[in-house]
Amino acid sequence: MVKRRSFLLAPLSLAYGAITRVRNILYDLAIIPSRQFSVPLICIGNITVGGTGKTPHTEYVAAFLSGKFRT
């Protein structure tokens, strides 16, 4: 029988969620400034490294948008 120890990660999950909420509020209140760029910008990805399909998805998005934007 496999013992489940995922409850040990609950405090870390709560801390991460709280930090993320505070950061988002600081952006909403313009305490942390946002940056604007002169060209359209799309970000694809997350903190996962490898094997999540980011590269094929990026190629698909680039091909899909290639007729709408010039480089």
Side-chain angles (χ1 to χ4, degrees):
M1 181 175 197
V2 176
K3 293 183 181 181
R4 296 190 180 249
R5 296 187 180 138
S6 59
F7 68 91
L8 295 173
L9 296 176
L12 293 175
S13 175
L14 292 172
Y16 179 80
I19 290 168
T20 302
R21 257 183 260 114
V22 168
R23 183 197 62 153
N24 290 342
I25 290 169
L26 293 175
Y27 274 113
D28 291 342
L29 297 174
I31 294 171
I32 299 176
S34 296
R35 296 180 70 184
Q36 298 219 352
F37 297 91
S38 60
V39 295
L41 181 70
I42 298 173
C43 179
I44 299 173
N46 55 25
I47 60 173
T48 302
V49 177
T52 59
K54 290 185 298 288
T55 300
H57 186 71
T58 302
E59 290 173 350
Y60 169 77
V61 170
F64 181 77
L65 296 175
S66 65
K68 298 180 184 187
F69 297 98
R70 59 189 171 104
T71 57

